[in-house]
């Protein structure tokens, strides 16, 4: 049976840009699919198709067992969406924003107020509940947008780079909220550029590039494709790098990589902790003093580079800059913020 989110052969073009080029997805109920890919890969386009904001040129898709093309209104009643940009009404207070969403989903006024109060507390916005959203910081607006997506306990959630603009503490808190949702049976499709986010949250990962899914699997499966273990050694003195490199080549299963400026030598190995102990003994016998040594497994960064040819893009806040609000996918037309509002109001 198809999963809670299912797509087969999705194609979408914008002029000469083929944003989706035959995308297949299958997300079992109660699990998280992490959708990874560089900017312009097609992630947001896929989310917009699955949430009925745009129609594909070809292909089929179902969400919660409902055909996205034939019964879009019913799909909208069963999903929550948090897009790349915070879709909040700047002239309403935080509380009014959440109550409005509840009313759009035809909740009774009392229930909408109670749910709004609950979410304001959960996302640490209670102290600012009666301030207009235009006075909120970027991180507060993001948290309010995420709260709005959860007002009606949707069985299927779509989160398009949800933690962009959040500081590490708030990002950690959102991860905990996501884990609670999934533990309660919610199915989630999550696009992200934070590879540690996918590593922690996603049961399965699909890597997208140029509108195609180029790899699928669990985090461990994808890492296994990239290569096995490696030993990394940082020597204390620069004049000992050559000695350590020669020694590690004897243990390695491939070429050693030397970073002279950091005095780091890395070599692929097999043998696990037992081999690491042998390397330490041999370094000691040669009189090589080390600052650090470890047995490393491939990371999702390694996977990303191996599959796409480059590292994941860094977000502005990672470089100490103020976030600009996100970057639209190449080929996505229109304003993503407007699209997010469409997703909120679809239940009317």
């Amino acid at each position: 049976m198809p999963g809670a989110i299912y797509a087969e052969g999705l194609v979408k073009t914008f002029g000469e840009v083929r944003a989706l080029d035959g995308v297949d997805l299958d997300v079992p109920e109660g699990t998280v699919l992490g959708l990874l890919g560089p900017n312009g890969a097609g992630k947001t386009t896929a989310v917009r198709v699955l949430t009925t904001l745009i129609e594909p040129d070809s292909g089929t898709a179902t969400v919660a067992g409902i055909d996205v093309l034939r019964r879009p209104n019913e799909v909208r009643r069963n999903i929550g969406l948090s897009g790349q940009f915070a879709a909040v009404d700047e002239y309403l207070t935080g509380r009014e924003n959440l109550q409005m969403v509840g009313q759009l989903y035809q909740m009774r006024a009392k229930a909408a107020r109670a749910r709004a109060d609950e979410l304001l507390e959960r996302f640490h916005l209670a102290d600012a509940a009666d301030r207009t959203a235009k006075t909120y910081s970027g991180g507060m607006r993001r948290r309010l947008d995420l709260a709005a997506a959860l007002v009606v306990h949707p069985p299927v959630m779509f989160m398009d780079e949800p933690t962009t603009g959040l500081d590490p503490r708030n990002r950690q808190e959102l991860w905990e909220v996501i884990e609670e949702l999934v533990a309660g049976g919610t199915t989630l499709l999550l696009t992200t550029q934070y590879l540690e986010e996918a590593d922690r949250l996603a049961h399965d990962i699909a890597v997208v590039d140029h509108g195609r899914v180029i790899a699928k699997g669990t985090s461990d499966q994808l890492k296994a494709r990239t290569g096995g273990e490696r030993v990394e050694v940082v020597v204390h003195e620069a004049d000992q790098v050559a000695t350590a490199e020669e020694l590690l080549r004897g243990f390695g299963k491939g070429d050693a990589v030397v970073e002279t400026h950091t005095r780091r030598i890395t070599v692929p190995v097999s043998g696990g902790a037992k081999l690491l102990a042998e390397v330490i003994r041999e370094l000691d016998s040669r009189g090589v003093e080390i600052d650090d040594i470890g047995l490393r497994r491939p990371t999702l960064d390694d996977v990303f580079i191996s599959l796409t040819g480059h590292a994941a893009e860094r977000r502005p806040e990672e470089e100490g800059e103020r976030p600009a609000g996100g970057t639209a996918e190449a080929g996505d037309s229109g304003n993503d913020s407007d699209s997010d509002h469409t997703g909120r109001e679809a239940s009317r």
Side-chain angles (χ1 to χ4, degrees), residues 10-23 40-46 49 54 57 208-212 329-333:
L10 290 183
V11 173
K12 183 64 181 179
T13 59
F14 298 95
E16 297 182 357
V17 177
R18 201 170 180 87
L20 299 179
D21 192 14
V23 168
K43 304 184 302 298
T44 293
T45 301
V49 168
I54 58 175
D57 299 329
V208 181
D209 200 21
H210 294 97
R212 293 177 176 270
E329 297 282 355
D332 285 354
S333 60

Side-chain angles (χ1 to χ4, degrees), residues 28-82:
E29 184 176 347
T31 67
V32 180
L33 175 69
L35 207 58
L36 300 183
N39 285 336
K43 304 184 302 298
T44 293
T45 301
V47 168
R48 293 175 69 188
V49 168
L50 292 167
T51 55
T52 77
L53 297 178
I54 58 175
E55 293 188 1
D57 299 329
S58 61
T60 60
T62 60
V63 175
I66 308 163
D67 191 288
V68 168
L69 291 175
R70 295 180 181 177
R71 297 152 65 192
N73 288 338
E74 191 172 345
V75 169
R76 293 166 188 160
R77 286 193 289 269
N78 285 273
I79 64 173
L81 168 63
S82 177

Side-chain angles (χ1 to χ4, degrees), residues 97-341:
N97 265 281
L98 298 184
Q99 289 179 217
M100 177 187 68
V101 173
Q103 290 165 358
L104 289 173
Y105 278 97
Q106 300 178 351
M107 293 175 66
R108 293 183 181 275
K110 183 177 181 180
R113 287 195 299 270
R115 182 62 173 158
D117 290 343
E118 177 187 348
L119 289 168
L120 289 165
E121 287 287 348
R122 189 176 197 178
F123 283 89
H124 305 288
L125 292 169
D127 291 344
D130 296 312
R131 285 168 40 193
T132 56
K134 65 181 179 182
T135 68
Y136 284 17
S137 67
M140 292 170 69
R141 287 163 59 90
R142 193 69 177 140
R143 282 181 277 150
L144 181 61
D145 177 72
L146 293 167
L150 299 174
V151 166
V152 293
H153 303 283
V156 179
M157 279 287 301
F158 294 87
M159 293 187 174
D160 194 5
E161 303 191 15
T163 57
T164 298
L166 297 184
D167 61 33
R169 180 177 64 84
N170 285 320
R171 186 178 301 135
Q172 176 74 30
E173 289 173 352
L174 176 61
W175 289 352
E176 293 171 0
V177 169
I178 291 173
E179 288 168 339
E180 290 173 12
L181 288 171
V182 176
T186 299
T187 304
L188 172 64
L189 189 149
L190 169 76
T191 79
T192 182
Q193 290 282 1
Y194 296 116
L195 300 183
E196 72 274 19
E197 189 164 89
D199 214 355
R200 169 166 170 171
L201 298 175
H203 297 89
D204 290 290
I205 293 169
V207 182
V208 181
D209 200 21
H210 294 97
R212 293 177 176 270
V213 176
I214 60 175
K216 293 180 183 177
T218 65
S219 177
D220 286 342
Q221 288 169 341
L222 292 177
K223 290 173 184 178
R225 285 182 52 174
T226 304
E229 302 165 325
R230 61 188 188 273
V231 168
E232 291 183 355
V233 175
V234 178
V235 301
H236 186 66
E237 300 290 347
D239 59 7
Q240 295 182 320
V241 168
T243 302
E245 179 188 0
E246 178 186 0
L247 184 152
L248 287 172
R249 287 183 187 277
F251 288 97
K253 299 296 182 180
D255 294 335
V257 176
V258 179
E259 300 174 16
T260 305
H261 63 290
T262 60
R263 307 182 307 282
R264 182 185 304 273
I265 307 101
T266 305
V267 62
V269 299
S270 61
K274 183 178 179 181
L275 179 136
L276 183 63
E278 293 178 13
V279 170
I280 293 171
R281 283 195 295 268
E282 188 65 22
L283 287 168
D284 185 60
S285 69
R286 298 275 195 97
V288 177
E289 187 176 353
I290 60 175
D291 290 340
D292 187 31
I293 187 169
L295 185 68
R296 318 294 189 203
R297 296 190 62 212
T299 66
L300 280 182
D301 271 304
D302 299 325
V303 172
F304 202 94
I305 292 169
S306 174
L307 293 171
T308 68
H310 56 80
E313 286 83 353
R314 293 297 179 191
R315 286 297 176 198
E317 64 270 19
E318 293 182 278
E319 305 296 337
E321 302 172 10
R322 182 176 179 176
T327 303
E329 297 282 355
D332 285 354
S333 60
N335 182 293
D336 270 355
S337 182
D338 292 341
S339 298
D340 294 341
H341 277 297

